[in-house]
Amino acid sequence: GEGVTFVKIEEKDDSLQEAIDDLTKKAHWLPHYARLPFIFGIAVTSQMLEIFQLLADNSVLRVFSSSLTSLSDRWMCVRAVVNIARTLKFFIEQKMVHRSLKFDVWHERKRKRIRLDVNFVEVECRDSNAFNRMKVFYTATGN
């Protein structure tokens, strides 16, 4: 994949609360989100789907909840996901989204190189002071 995701998804077999907890624990506000009012989070099990707004202050606002047991419930979920796509399109049209860096490619900067992956950020610093500052930051915000 390319870039930074604007929809975080956690799927669990049975525990919706576990999916929600993982979603909120793993969602970190990135500089790419600076112009956005929120990003989306989706927690899903085989029986339930919930959609959240993940906010810059790390708070979470539930905006949709539905069972997945009946066809009409699933149809409501499809409509909710279409609305997510509409919202993301609006963010792009309003230039609220920064151009994303590609994944699995080294991006050269003045004092460092950055490589993004779905699960991590790899940074090579040419300046040891910058490395120490980044190490403190990522330790404080990482898992």
Side-chain angles (χ1 to χ4, degrees):
E2 288 188 8
V4 175
T5 182
F6 296 94
V7 180
K8 307 281 186 178
I9 301 171
E10 283 296 327
E11 182 178 3
K12 301 296 178 193
D13 289 333
D14 297 316
S15 174
L16 186 65
Q17 190 57 54
E18 185 181 348
I20 294 167
D21 292 345
D22 281 358
L23 187 67
T24 56
K25 182 174 72 173
K26 293 177 183 178
H28 299 287
W29 199 258
L30 300 174
H32 295 73
Y33 307 149
R35 297 179 187 160
L36 298 175
F38 58 86
I39 62 171
F40 287 101
I42 299 174
V44 65
T45 68
S46 61
Q47 301 293 313
M48 289 289 298
L49 180 132
E50 293 193 348
I51 300 174
F52 300 87
Q53 291 179 350
L54 307 176
L55 306 172
D57 64 0
N58 294 322
S59 62
V60 176
L61 175 64
R62 181 180 289 114
V63 294
F64 179 83
S65 180
S66 179
S67 168
L68 296 173
T69 56
S70 74
L71 188 57
S72 62
D73 291 339
R74 286 184 228 139
W75 177 243
M76 292 299 295
C77 293
V78 169
R79 291 176 62 194
V81 172
V82 167
N83 285 331
I84 288 174
R86 288 178 179 143
T87 303
L88 295 176
K89 181 180 177 193
F90 174 79
F91 289 169
I92 292 166
E93 289 171 347
Q94 297 301 308
K95 302 193 183 331
M96 298 168 77
V97 176
H98 290 282
R99 184 157 177 88
S100 296
L101 297 175
K102 291 182 179 180
F103 280 176
D104 297 321
V105 174
W106 283 102
H107 301 276
E108 298 293 331
R109 297 293 184 263
K110 194 174 199 176
R111 296 185 187 110
K112 63 185 171 240
R113 292 180 353 136
I114 303 167
R115 185 171 72 90
L116 301 176
D117 184 84
V118 182
N119 299 308
F120 64 86
V121 175
E122 188 173 2
V123 179
E124 290 182 359
C125 294
R126 295 177 184 93
D127 172 5
S128 62
N129 289 331
F131 173 76
N132 290 332
R133 286 191 306 275
M134 291 181 71
K135 187 172 152 185
V136 168
F137 172 78
Y138 284 111
T139 300
T141 60
N143 291 337

